[in-house]
Amino acid sequence: MKEDHRPQEICAIWIDHTNRIISFRKEDGFEPRAFLSPDEQMQYALEKCSNGCRVQ
């Protein structure tokens, strides 16, 4: 049996709560939020956008 040694893709969004900005890549001063799947990540991003957050 082969073992899969590939790194698991990290599903995360970085959030600037003060300026209401989300990013899909690491940004200084932004708080990270991890997700179990890309679908969960996108659902969260769409929810944040519908509540007034901007995407960087």
Side-chain angles (χ1 to χ4, degrees):
M1 175 187 272
K2 278 186 166 181
E3 288 187 36
D4 189 358
H5 292 288
R6 290 179 288 166
Q8 194 171 27
E9 184 178 332
I10 297 172
C11 298
I13 288 179
W14 285 262
I15 308 165
D16 177 347
H17 294 284
T18 304
N19 296 307
R20 299 180 56 91
I21 300 171
I22 62 172
S23 178
F24 289 95
R25 60 182 178 199
K26 185 177 181 179
E27 297 289 342
D28 289 337
F30 285 40
E31 177 185 320
R33 169 119 187 218
F35 300 92
L36 298 176
S37 72
D39 288 339
E40 189 179 310
Q41 177 192 33
M42 285 306 296
Q43 183 177 353
Y44 182 84
L46 291 171
E47 180 183 314
K48 284 295 193 185
C49 289
S50 69
N51 289 326
C53 283
R54 295 176 289 145
V55 178
Q56 174 173 299

